[in-house]
Amino acid sequence: MIEVTGLTKRFGSKVAVDDLSFSVNKGEVLGFLGPNGAGKSTTMRMVTGFLPVSAGKIKICGISMTGRPKAAKRKIGYLPESAPLYKDMTVQGFLKFCASLRGLGGSARRQAVEKSIETCFLENVARQSIGTLSKGYRHRTCLAQSLLHDPEVLVLDEPTDGLDPNQKLEVRKLIKNLGKEKAILFSTHILEEVTAACTRAVIVDQGVIVADGTPEQLTKEGGGSLYDLFHKVTTFETPAA
Amino acid sequence: MNTLTIFKRELTSYFTQPTAYAIVIIFGFLSILLAFTIGNFWAIDDASLHGSFFRSIPLLLMILVPAVSMRQWSDEHYTGTIELLGTFPINLRSAIWGKFLASAMVWALALALTFPIVSAVNYLGDPDNWTIFSGYLGSFLVCLTFLAITTLVSAFTRDQVVALIVSVAICCLLTICGWEPVINEVRRTGPDAAQAVDIMTKFGIYSHFFEATLGKISITSLLYFFGLIIICLLGTNLVLKSQRA
């Protein structure tokens, strides 16, 4: 459902993503690992059509992101890294706004908003202004926005960042459940999440894939520890793109 | 359709925050105050409002208009919501127009709420209300032009204050270079200044605006206003796109 071939992004002379290829099928949750500045967010921004590619191809459910961006974007739900929101809106108002931009109207919109509020446990704060919410609720509000149109593909950039341990657990469970029906690409630098939620993982370093496999394979490759493998294949510090 | 959705969101946002109220009230108060002080409303004995009320309108607008739309795109950059808009299946153009039209609506309201002065001249005399309407239309075109300039400037930066300062500077330049006291000053420097005066008058917003307050809006003036608006909005599209490349 997500097919990426030879994906490259250059900012001036700096190569942020270098000839990256991977694919995610229906029912798969691909963990995208790597140190800060490895090119994870840049890759996701290209996959979701926010950043234009310097080279390479992206296909979402067989639709080219460069050729037919609007049609491809319809298939994707996206949670950006910082979970951006319009703080002056209420949770419900924001979700309604996003649903309208996704082309939903009338009762379909109302149902979509209600369902995603329920899925992300936002009932208690639905009528509250986003500016007054805690970080956990804000994050879930942005996650709810990505589920509104029941997309076939989900791209989640650090979906558990800034959540407390209980919320992390809930979100991981949610990702695992959603992954049965959808193709999910999610980035993290928390290695436990790979074994907890992913069916497959890749480790990216300096814009290049340095390891690829199921969590079990990767753990084996690292001699019984995913940490050791991560340490071995990634550079200690990478300047942010 | 998407333009309408974004228009509604932006307009609600102006009125759920104090921005629109502050602007509408301050503009209403200052515009009428200036009409009675600098504009010599009583002494000038002019029911068309051309020399009294409309005279200082561009001077107020050059400072107050950018305050409404300074956050239009800078805030999207700052909070990262531009990433959401950029990944929805919508055209960037509809977002630019939706936001621009919402800010235009705030200014349409601000201008409409100065109606007491129109009622006053109608009570005191027998004005040509078409000339007054034309003056309001001119004022609105000045608002739209300044809004478009601010939209373009706000696309460049994530800092609202920078967007405000730069936009006010550009709007001041456009206003002041055609302002009568400045033109007179340049004219006094000698006969060679005629060409400079001509350029400044054409480039500045005042001559085009004054025509409107006298009840005549020429094609040249319409081209001037709409040309600037379209250039700024197309520029915004270009800037926002190139920032991602």
Side-chain angles (χ1 to χ4, degrees):
Chain A
M1 288 194 150
I2 308 177
E3 283 169 73
V4 171
T5 33
L7 190 64
T8 303
K9 183 70 190 176
R10 283 182 287 269
F11 293 107
S13 61
K14 191 183 169 347
V15 182
V17 176
D18 193 4
D19 198 20
L20 216 66
S21 299
F22 61 89
S23 66
V24 190
N25 299 319
K26 188 178 174 178
E28 241 184 353
V29 180
L30 179 70
F32 215 53
L33 303 174
N36 289 327
K40 301 189 297 287
S41 292
T42 308
T43 304
M44 295 191 141
R45 284 177 178 156
M46 285 189 283
V47 170
T48 52
F50 179 66
L51 286 180
V53 303
S54 302
K57 280 180 189 153
I58 300 166
K59 277 191 170 178
I60 308 292
C61 304
I63 305 164
S64 161
M65 182 54 88
T66 38
R68 292 171 59 207
K70 259 186 170 178
K73 282 175 183 177
R74 276 194 194 103
K75 303 276 182 193
I76 305 181
Y78 176 43
L79 168 70
E81 190 180 8
S82 54
L85 299 159
Y86 293 106
K87 294 191 180 73
D88 55 293
M89 300 178 99
T90 64
V91 171
Q92 208 169 32
F94 172 73
L95 293 176
K96 256 167 107 176
F97 167 70
C98 295
S100 301
L101 291 182
R102 289 277 179 199
L104 297 169
S107 62
R109 184 177 62 192
R110 205 178 47 243
Q111 277 168 14
V113 170
E114 274 170 17
K115 195 178 165 204
S116 65
I117 283 179
E118 201 185 305
T119 315
C120 298
F121 315 104
L122 292 164
E123 291 97 336
N124 295 335
V125 294
R127 287 172 197 282
Q128 215 167 306
S129 163
I130 291 171
T132 64
L133 298 179
S134 67
K135 199 172 176 185
Y137 275 121
R138 284 189 198 181
H139 222 86
R140 276 185 278 160
T141 305
C142 202
L143 180 65
Q145 154 288 127
S146 69
L147 303 173
L148 282 166
H149 52 304
D150 194 20
E152 291 170 63
V153 171
L154 267 180
V155 179
L156 312 170
D157 201 349
E158 302 196 4
T160 57
D161 187 41
L163 302 182
D164 70 33
N166 292 334
Q167 293 167 337
K168 275 191 175 137
L169 199 72
E170 284 300 329
V171 170
R172 277 179 212 158
K173 261 202 264 176
L174 182 68
I175 292 173
K176 210 168 178 178
N177 274 334
L178 291 166
K180 290 173 191 158
E181 298 292 317
K182 302 178 192 300
I184 301 183
L185 171 66
F186 93 94
S187 76
T188 180
H189 42 230
I190 306 165
L191 299 177
E192 288 86 355
E193 286 184 349
V194 177
T195 34
C198 300
T199 55
R200 202 158 61 83
V202 292
I203 302 178
V204 192
D205 186 52
Q206 296 186 322
V208 182
I209 292 179
V210 287
D212 184 353
T214 63
E216 294 76 31
Q217 283 170 339
L218 293 178
T219 314
K220 210 170 146 193
E221 214 175 300
S225 159
L226 204 53
Y227 276 95
D228 286 345
L229 175 70
F230 189 85
H231 201 63
K232 201 167 79 187
V233 296
T234 59
T235 332
F236 182 60
E237 209 149 276
T238 318
Chain B
M1 191 59 205
N2 291 327
T3 307
L4 185 69
T5 308
I6 288 165
F7 168 80
K8 279 199 261 182
R9 193 214 88 75
E10 290 290 317
L11 194 62
T12 317
S13 162
Y14 280 121
F15 287 96
T16 47
Q17 292 172 325
T19 330
Y21 300 102
I23 291 293
V24 167
I25 292 168
I26 291 171
F27 175 73
F29 174 73
L30 288 180
S31 60
I32 292 180
L33 182 78
L34 290 181
F36 282 92
T37 51
I38 299 173
N40 279 324
F41 182 78
W42 296 116
I44 210 165
D45 201 22
D46 163 30
S48 77
L49 293 175
H50 157 76
S52 55
F53 174 68
F54 287 122
R55 196 175 143 187
S56 32
I57 289 288
L59 296 176
L60 277 178
L61 295 181
M62 71 185 186
I63 294 164
L64 291 178
V65 170
V68 167
S69 48
M70 64 179 185
R71 64 176 189 84
Q72 212 160 73
W73 288 101
S74 52
D75 215 31
E76 294 277 346
H77 287 304
Y78 184 73
T79 58
T81 40
I82 192 156
E83 211 170 326
L84 283 180
L85 286 183
T87 51
F88 284 145
I90 59 167
N91 283 327
L92 191 56
R93 274 197 311 277
S94 42
I96 294 172
W97 277 103
K99 279 168 172 281
F100 176 72
L101 293 175
S103 59
M105 199 68 188
V106 173
W107 275 103
L109 182 72
L111 287 171
L113 288 180
T114 58
F115 73 90
I117 201 149
V118 183
S119 315
V121 285
N122 271 288
Y123 177 73
L124 295 168
D126 183 22
D128 177 6
N129 278 317
W130 279 113
T131 310
I132 294 179
F133 176 75
S134 161
Y136 269 101
L137 196 65
S139 308
F140 189 54
L141 286 172
V142 174
C143 286
L144 293 182
T145 310
F146 288 171
L147 282 172
I149 290 169
T150 315
T151 298
L152 174 61
V153 174
S154 78
F156 278 101
T157 172
R158 47 190 282 138
D159 190 328
Q160 292 185 29
V161 179
V162 172
L164 176 70
I165 294 169
V166 175
S167 314
V168 168
I170 297 172
C171 296
C172 282
L173 186 74
L174 270 182
T175 310
I176 286 174
C177 86
W179 194 35
E180 222 182 324
V182 175
I183 293 288
N184 289 341
E185 210 51 47
V186 176
R187 205 172 269 142
R188 276 223 309 248
T189 56
D192 298 340
Q195 206 181 354
V197 166
D198 190 43
I199 292 171
M200 283 169 76
T201 320
K202 277 185 185 143
F203 176 70
I205 219 156
Y206 247 107
S207 60
H208 304 282
F209 170 71
F210 257 142
E211 264 187 15
T213 64
L214 290 168
K216 40 187 185 199
I217 302 181
S218 65
I219 300 284
T220 326
S221 295
L222 284 177
L223 281 176
Y224 172 84
F225 286 121
F226 284 108
L228 275 176
I229 293 166
I230 300 289
I231 288 170
C232 288
L233 294 185
L234 288 179
T236 307
N237 198 333
L238 213 65
V239 171
L240 291 174
K241 276 196 173 148
S242 67
Q243 272 165 347
R244 297 193 215 154

